[in-house]
Amino acid sequence: MKSIRFLADFYSVDGTGNCFVKYAKGGLYPLSDETAGQVAAGFAEEVDAPEAVPAVAPAPAPTPATGTTKPAGQSADGA
């Protein structure tokens, strides 16, 4: 079965502007119009896979850190 192996990470941006890796370098993905376009662009190659490759769900976008901040001049031990 034909699969697509990416030669570089391919990034995408979600609706809120967060960037994430949609196709990882070295990963095998099923042949689709989008992945075939990446082969034509030179960012991926078509390979023979021994078995069917499941579609990989994109990684969830990272969420902003929600840590607390300390006032200036306060040390880590609270003294």
Side-chain angles (χ1 to χ4, degrees), residues 36-77:
Q38 296 303 316
V39 171
F43 299 117
E45 62 185 356
E46 191 171 303
V47 296
D48 286 320
E51 57 187 55
V53 177
V56 177
T63 57
T66 58
T68 59
T69 58
K70 295 182 181 179
Q74 185 178 10
S75 66
D77 63 359

